[in-house]
Amino acid sequence: MRRLSRVVHVGPVAIGGGARVSVQSMLNKPSRDIEGNIAQALELERAGCDIVRVAVPDGEAVGLVAALKERCGAPIVADIHFDYQLALESLAAGADKIRINPGNIGGRDRVKAVADACRGRGVPIRIGVNSGSLEKELLEKYGSPTPEAMAESALNHARLLEAFDFHDIVISLKSSDVANTVRAYAILAGQCDYPLHVGVTEAGTQRMGVVKSSIGIGALLLRGIGDTIRVSLTAEPVEEVRAARDILRALGQGSGADVVSCPTCGRTKIDLAAMAHEVERRLEGCEKRVTVAVMGCAVNGPGEAREADIGLAGGDGCALLFRRGEVLRKAPEDRAVDELMEEIDRL
Ligand code: SF4
């Protein structure tokens, strides 16, 4: 069952409170490259990114926040470290959410200034705890950045905001260690009702990063924990969005088509890999919630894919089209994918 959290709003996107799990990613072009960042943000949106984050290391980047707000549709999160002035300036530039750790901006008056400005604009704050930058006192208390230490750090930051009656909070607890990440979120989930931004940080390059993120994010979502997700990859940001969308789809929480294909074996007489990739490509962006099976043989294919809404099973130079396990007709191999698509359109 999904953990029930309070809801916060990032522009038009709801996080928590039972809202669908949203997908985030982060721009990675230099701040001065306004056009490059805008093109990247639009590409992320097209791939299904619900919320776009941008680093704000200096005043120049505040101009980028304003440009993104003017020319992109997705809500923009300003990612800030230490400098509360940059948070205030980003808010004035239209940021829809601020990522900052209140304990790191120095002094209650600064925390109050950011909390008041966010409240005034209805903008939430994400507290982003990272195992690599845990407070000294907590490292001394726990000996290392344990999951318990990370959860305690997040609650300490949250208390600073709560002291100024600010509760529009999202929390993330990231570690590059998958097991620690899962444990930390599980602890925190039982200690507060704030929505959680879930991800495995510094997960690695595309292949390993997707594996780590799928395990970490997947384990949490299966336990009902997680309201917005970010897959963190050393790759183009659009790959993060694709991976996040695939994770949600694999858990039955995404929109669009789910392609099921068999691993092939000695019975396969068609180029199934090419067909499966082509079906996947053509269904990218498809909004229909449909399960499509692409199976290697007619002996086991329709039966194995009985749960699918529609599918094909390879024969010798042809494929059988079937719908919910019932055979529809035979199609020549070179027409099979086209005919499958026509049947999907008819569903
Ligand atoms: Fe082999 Fe047919 Fe099963 Fe695919 S569906 S793995 S080709 S038996």
Side-chain angles (χ1 to χ4, degrees):
M1 206 166 66
R2 180 102 177 260
R3 165 183 172 264
L4 197 61
S5 73
R6 65 174 65 218
V7 63
V8 308
H9 291 92
V10 184
V13 179
I15 300 182
R20 75 171 174 80
V21 175
S22 52
V23 168
Q24 309 203 12
S25 183
M26 189 165 182
L27 304 177
N28 68 357
K29 304 270 182 207
S31 309
R32 64 178 177 284
D33 181 4
I34 302 259
E35 292 307 318
N37 275 293
I38 285 173
Q40 196 170 55
L42 293 173
E43 183 188 23
L44 294 182
E45 270 183 62
R46 280 194 299 274
C49 184
D50 300 300
I51 299 170
V52 173
R53 182 156 53 113
V54 59
V56 182
D58 50 35
E60 191 176 34
V62 174
L64 174 59
V65 172
L68 287 164
K69 281 302 298 170
E70 202 180 303
R71 292 172 53 192
C72 301
I76 302 297
V77 184
D79 188 287
I80 289 149
H81 285 273
F82 311 120
D83 189 340
Y84 86 113
Q85 279 293 353
L86 289 174
L88 298 179
E89 288 170 25
S90 297
L91 283 166
D96 298 287
K97 183 172 157 199
I98 298 290
R99 183 262 159 131
I100 195 165
N101 287 352
N104 298 343
I105 59 178
R108 289 175 65 82
D109 52 335
R110 295 182 177 188
V111 178
K112 183 173 186 311
V114 174
D116 287 348
C118 284
R119 188 189 304 101
R121 292 174 181 270
V123 167
I125 294 176
R126 170 158 71 94
I127 294 168
V129 169
N130 198 308
S131 65
S133 53
L134 221 53
E135 295 80 5
K136 212 167 74 218
E137 311 80 67
L138 286 172
L139 286 176
E140 276 163 15
K141 177 175 171 185
Y142 288 95
S144 65
T146 61
E148 290 77 8
M150 289 166 63
E152 188 170 328
S153 171
L155 290 177
N156 288 343
H157 287 294
R159 260 174 228 127
L160 283 169
L161 291 173
E162 289 163 1
F164 298 107
D165 200 24
F166 189 89
H167 305 275
D168 247 3
I169 298 170
V170 180
I171 300 181
S172 65
L173 294 176
K174 296 199 188 168
S175 161
S176 54
D177 181 286
V178 176
N180 276 350
T181 301
V182 172
R183 176 104 187 97
Y185 278 106
I187 292 169
L188 186 70
Q191 294 178 333
C192 69
D193 71 346
Y194 292 121
L196 300 179
H197 165 126
V198 165
V200 177
T201 197
E202 294 133 22
T205 53
Q206 193 162 339
R207 180 170 149 167
M208 200 56 194
V210 169
V211 171
K212 284 189 189 177
S213 299
S214 303
I215 295 171
I217 294 171
L220 286 163
L221 291 179
L222 283 172
R223 292 163 79 166
I225 298 171
D227 302 287
T228 183
I229 64 173
R230 191 233 172 151
V231 172
S232 164
L233 298 177
T234 311
E236 285 301 309
V238 73
E239 297 301 339
E240 299 185 345
V241 177
R242 289 185 183 134
R245 288 267 157 228
D246 288 347
I247 290 170
L248 291 177
R249 202 171 292 142
L251 294 172
Q253 297 184 20
S255 59
D258 186 19
V259 178
V260 176
S261 59
C262 84
T264 74
C265 70
R267 296 183 188 89
T268 320
K269 294 197 172 72
I270 54 169
D271 186 356
L272 193 79
M275 276 187 178
H277 281 114
E278 179 60 12
V279 170
E280 220 168 47
R281 190 188 67 75
R282 294 207 205 174
L283 288 173
E284 234 173 63
C286 164
E287 292 292 322
K288 230 176 228 177
R289 286 197 74 135
V290 64
T291 303
V292 182
V294 183
M295 311 299 284
C297 79
V299 177
N300 292 321
E304 286 182 21
R306 194 161 286 130
E307 302 304 316
D309 298 297
I310 192 107
L312 62 76
D316 199 352
C318 65
L320 284 180
L321 296 184
F322 56 91
R323 189 168 53 211
R324 298 196 180 95
E326 298 289 321
V327 174
L328 290 174
R329 64 179 178 281
K330 203 181 260 187
E333 184 171 349
D334 59 351
R335 284 274 312 145
V337 173
D338 290 338
E339 293 197 21
L340 180 71
M341 291 300 139
E342 286 162 20
E343 290 298 332
I344 292 170
D345 285 342
R346 275 188 211 120
L347 283 175

